[in-house]
């Protein structure tokens, strides 16, 4: 098996293991399933095309993939404006989660990204610092701000 | 610490981060702050719950298929030193090859000789190192025909010097073979004790003839093989006109064929004369002269018309040099008669 074939096999396996997490993240951040699918694939293709860009000394492969996904989401937002182009699809079954999710989707992309990575993906402050490329203190203040905003929107929706 | 001051630490406490003790004490004791902490925890739980709703199957990853490359197109690592070496070789090798080629290319010595006085040789020879021949000839000198035989042995040819040994002896003025004018009865000359002579190309070099007189040698060194035809450069200089082994046709009928005969007009005021019994005297020149008509010369042929009759000369070598075709001039004299009973070919001044 050639080195190229081995790389394809490794990236394919990684996609099966981590692809769903990355796609969930991108779906919530972007609010668009088809775009999330597309950017998820682009995230893994980026790794396939430039495997040497991943530096294990700076964090695990999962951190790296979320970092790439976040940048691709930011690029997409920059190209397509602040709102998703496709209307939202029906959300989860719970009434509360429906409201939290509705409120979450109204957050700015930056807040959505950091909240999702912390609450759903469970990244530590240090890891978030690496993924987002900001100091730990900034991670702390951004999380505080994002939660305040989400709570504010959620409460308004609940009313 | 009040609620406003503690607010920033609630989020950090929610994430299990270390916060100041007084902030922790306030958050745990303050109902408002404690409620905020619970809300934050609840929001996180709702988000995690929402994430579980994303159950659509993952689309396949369109990884490009790797191509099976033939072994001769596979990339292999090459050290930079090797690349630098190749670059140096690419520059140095052609240079070295051209220098070596120039050094190993044999040089040629084109030479001729006259008898009695220095001048332009009537016939040239081409030699490489190792040339060793006896040559002879009859030259028309002021006092009459002179004949000598010359054995010349070329030992070394350089661009600025030719080293040779030579011996010149008088040869009987005899013409056993009128066609070649060779003096075959002399046989090979012995070269015992002949000294090595050094010749500078372009100069006239005197070689004494044993018993009196001298042979004058003149030549030049060339790095390409000289093309010689009938003892002269294959393509004459543009100011010369030469007929070598010519045949003359009139209205496509062969009038004469002179195999081996040759005559050259060595300057524009010279002409080549061809006499054919019963046909007359044809004079060819590069410049117009009284009674001459224009003719078209192109390499080995001359075409012209005289008195409504078309003529063509076909020669064994180019008639003249320069851009072809060229205009030459020709005149026919029916009245002029020569002493020769057969066709004659020679050179002389342009008739005025």
């Amino acid at each position: 098996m050639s080195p190229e074939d081995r790389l394809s096999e490794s990236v394919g396996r990684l996609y099966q293991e981590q692809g769903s997490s990355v796609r969930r993240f991108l779906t919530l951040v972007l609010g668009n399933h088809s775009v999330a699918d597309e950017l998820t694939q682009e995230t893994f293709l980026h790794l396939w095309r430039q495997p040497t860009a991943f530096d294990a000394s700076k964090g695990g492969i999962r951190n790296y993939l979320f970092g790439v996904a976040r940048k691709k989401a930011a690029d997409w937002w920059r190209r397509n404006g602040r709102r998703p182009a496709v209307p939202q699809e029906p959300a989860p079954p719970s009434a509360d989660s429906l409201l939290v999710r509705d409120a979450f989707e109204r957050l700015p992309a930056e807040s959505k990204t950091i909240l999702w990575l912390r609450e759903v993906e469970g990244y530590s402050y240090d890891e978030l610092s690496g993924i987002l490329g900001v100091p730990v203190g900034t991670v702390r203040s951004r999380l505080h701000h994002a939660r305040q905003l989400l709570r504010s929107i959620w409460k308004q929706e609940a009313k | 610490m009040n609620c406003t001051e503690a607010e920033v630490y609630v989020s950090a406490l929610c994430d299990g981060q270390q916060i100041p003790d007084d902030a922790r004490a306030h958050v745990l004791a303050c109902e408002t702050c404690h409620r905020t902490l619970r809300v934050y925890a609840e929001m996180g739980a709702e988000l995690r719950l929402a994430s579980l709703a994303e159950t659509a199957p993952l689309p396949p990853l369109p990884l490009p298929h790797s191509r099976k490359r033939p072994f001769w197109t596979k990339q292999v690592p090459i050290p930079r030193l090797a690349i630098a070496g190749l670059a140096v070789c690419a520059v140095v090798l052609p240079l070295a090859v051209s220098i070596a080629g120039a050094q190993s290319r044999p040089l040629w010595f084109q030479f001729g000789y006259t008898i009695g006085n220095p001048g332009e040789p009537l016939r040239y020879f081409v030699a490489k190192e190792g040339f060793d021949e006896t040559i002879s000839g009859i030259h028309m000198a002021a006092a009459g025909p002179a004949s000598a035989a010359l054995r010349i042995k070329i030992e070394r040819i350089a661009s600025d010097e030719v080293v040779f040994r030579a011996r010149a002896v008088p040869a009987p003025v005899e013409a056993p073979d009128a066609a070649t004018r060779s003096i075959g009865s002399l046989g090979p000359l012995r070269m015992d004790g002949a000294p090595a002579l050094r010749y500078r190309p372009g100069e006239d070099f005197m070689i004494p003839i044993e018993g009196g007189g001298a042979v004058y040698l003149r030549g030049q060194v060339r790095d390409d093989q000289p093309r010689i035809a009938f003892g002269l450069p294959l393509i004459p200089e543009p100011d010369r006109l030469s007929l070598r082994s010519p045949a003359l046709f009139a209205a496509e009928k062969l009038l004469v064929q002179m195999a081996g005969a040759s005559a050259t007009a060595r300057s524009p005021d010279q002409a080549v004369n061809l006499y054919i019994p019963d046909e007359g005297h044809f004079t060819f020149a590069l410049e117009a002269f009284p009674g001459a008509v224009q003719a078209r010369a192109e390499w080995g042929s001359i075409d012209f018309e005289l008195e409504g009759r078309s003529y063509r000369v076909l020669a064994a070598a180019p008639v003249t040099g320069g851009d072809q075709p060229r205009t030459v001039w020709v005149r026919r004299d029916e009245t002029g008669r020569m002493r020769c009973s057969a066709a004659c070919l020679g050179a002389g001044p342009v008739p005025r």
Side-chain angles (χ1 to χ4, degrees):
Chain A
M1 185 183 281
S2 70
E4 204 174 52
D5 291 333
R6 281 200 294 274
L7 176 66
S8 295
E9 189 181 299
S10 300
V11 173
R13 195 182 307 124
L14 202 59
Y15 180 70
Q16 293 303 320
E17 293 169 359
Q18 306 292 339
S20 297
S21 298
V22 173
R23 184 177 65 169
R24 272 201 306 272
F25 163 65
L26 288 170
T27 302
L28 268 293
V29 169
L30 298 169
N32 185 313
H33 282 286
S34 61
V35 175
D37 283 348
E38 185 185 328
L39 293 194
T40 301
Q41 290 178 334
E42 281 188 19
T43 299
F44 285 83
L45 285 174
H46 177 89
L47 177 65
W48 185 83
R49 289 190 194 101
Q50 300 179 45
T52 53
F54 166 60
D55 183 357
S57 67
K58 293 181 179 174
I61 187 68
R62 196 163 176 269
N63 299 10
Y64 175 75
L65 288 170
F66 273 101
V68 173
R70 183 189 69 78
K71 285 175 186 165
K72 291 198 175 293
D75 289 343
W76 189 89
W77 277 114
R78 204 172 297 119
R79 286 197 307 270
N80 297 278
R82 306 300 296 173
R83 301 300 302 168
V86 180
Q88 297 306 299
E89 294 174 13
S94 154
D96 281 345
S97 66
L98 175 66
L99 290 174
V100 169
R101 178 169 175 156
D102 288 343
F104 180 83
E105 285 167 357
R106 294 189 182 185
L107 289 175
E110 186 183 83
S111 298
K112 274 198 262 192
T113 299
I114 196 166
L115 259 185
W116 185 266
L117 292 177
R118 171 64 202 147
E119 294 290 8
V120 179
E121 302 301 335
Y123 282 110
S124 69
Y125 279 29
D126 284 339
E127 288 171 325
L128 288 172
S129 170
I131 292 171
L132 302 175
V134 296
V136 172
T138 305
V139 170
R140 183 183 296 116
S141 63
R142 281 188 186 176
L143 273 171
H144 165 64
H145 178 72
R147 282 180 171 127
Q148 265 194 323
L149 197 57
L150 179 60
R151 183 190 181 196
S152 164
I153 297 169
W154 185 29
K155 290 302 173 193
Q156 281 179 358
E157 296 248 341
K159 288 173 187 174
Chain B
M1 180 168 284
N2 57 35
C3 293
T4 306
E5 291 170 332
E7 189 181 7
V8 71
Y9 296 112
V10 176
S11 172
L13 190 62
C14 178
D15 291 326
Q17 298 291 304
Q18 287 290 328
I19 63 172
D21 289 342
D22 53 344
R24 172 186 292 272
H26 174 84
V27 170
L28 296 178
C30 170
E31 190 179 344
T32 304
C33 292
H34 199 74
R35 189 164 57 245
T36 301
L37 181 62
R38 278 206 311 275
V39 169
Y40 285 174
E42 192 180 344
M43 288 192 309
E46 292 296 338
L47 282 176
R48 284 188 286 279
L49 190 61
S51 74
L52 296 178
E54 303 294 330
T55 54
L58 205 58
L61 182 64
L63 280 176
H65 292 293
S66 65
R67 290 189 298 269
K68 293 287 183 189
R69 292 181 177 178
F71 75 93
W72 59 83
T73 63
K74 282 185 177 175
Q75 294 181 342
V76 294
I78 300 176
R80 288 179 183 174
L81 188 64
I83 294 172
L86 280 174
V88 169
C89 286
V91 173
V92 171
L93 203 59
L95 195 62
V97 167
S98 67
I99 291 171
Q103 288 175 340
S104 63
R105 188 185 303 158
L107 293 173
W108 298 83
F109 184 42
Q110 176 184 312
F111 71 96
Y113 69 95
T114 55
I115 302 172
N117 293 297
E120 185 174 351
L122 296 175
R123 187 179 179 196
Y124 285 95
F125 301 87
V126 175
K128 286 196 292 186
E129 284 182 5
F131 176 94
D132 184 3
E133 287 188 17
T134 298
I135 52 184
S136 63
I138 300 170
H139 288 213
M140 297 306 292
S147 178
L150 173 70
R151 181 178 177 185
I152 182 165
K153 185 176 182 181
I154 309 292
E155 295 187 342
R156 191 170 70 85
I157 302 173
S159 58
D160 58 348
E161 187 181 69
V162 177
V163 178
F164 67 97
R165 296 174 194 273
R167 184 181 172 201
V169 298
V173 180
E174 61 180 39
D177 187 334
T180 60
R181 294 186 179 180
S182 64
I183 305 173
S185 61
L186 201 63
L189 298 178
R190 295 176 65 87
M191 291 280 275
D192 302 338
L197 306 170
R198 297 180 182 278
Y199 173 71
R200 296 178 66 83
E203 293 181 348
D204 288 310
F205 191 92
M206 189 192 75
I207 302 169
I209 299 174
E210 293 172 8
V215 164
Y216 291 88
L217 183 139
R218 182 188 287 183
Q220 55 183 300
V221 173
R222 298 174 57 163
D223 57 3
D224 59 330
Q225 183 177 10
R227 266 60 171 174
I228 298 293
F230 298 89
L232 294 172
L234 179 63
I235 299 176
E237 294 296 319
D239 62 348
R240 295 186 178 198
L241 192 148
S242 183
L243 290 184
R244 288 172 276 189
S245 281
L248 176 63
F249 296 81
E252 300 185 355
K253 179 187 171 191
L254 179 65
L255 298 181
V256 70
Q257 184 171 13
M258 303 187 71
S262 173
T264 299
R266 295 174 180 268
S267 63
D269 59 353
Q270 292 281 307
V272 172
N273 303 303
L274 172 62
Y275 173 73
I276 307 170
D278 302 328
E279 285 291 334
H281 197 143
F282 292 84
T283 304
F284 299 87
L286 290 174
E287 292 185 348
F289 57 95
V293 299
Q294 281 193 13
R296 182 179 187 269
E298 186 169 17
W299 299 122
S301 68
I302 302 174
D303 293 288
F304 55 97
E305 279 196 13
L306 281 171
E307 300 152 4
R309 199 178 183 197
S310 62
Y311 291 84
R312 166 168 281 194
V313 174
L314 291 180
V319 172
T320 185
D323 293 335
Q324 310 284 324
R326 287 189 61 182
T327 296
V328 300
W329 299 83
V330 59
R331 188 176 82 182
R332 176 176 175 237
D333 296 302
E334 289 184 75
T335 54
R337 282 197 168 274
M338 297 186 73
R339 282 182 296 175
C340 30
S341 57
C344 298
L345 187 64
V350 172
R352 297 297 178 186

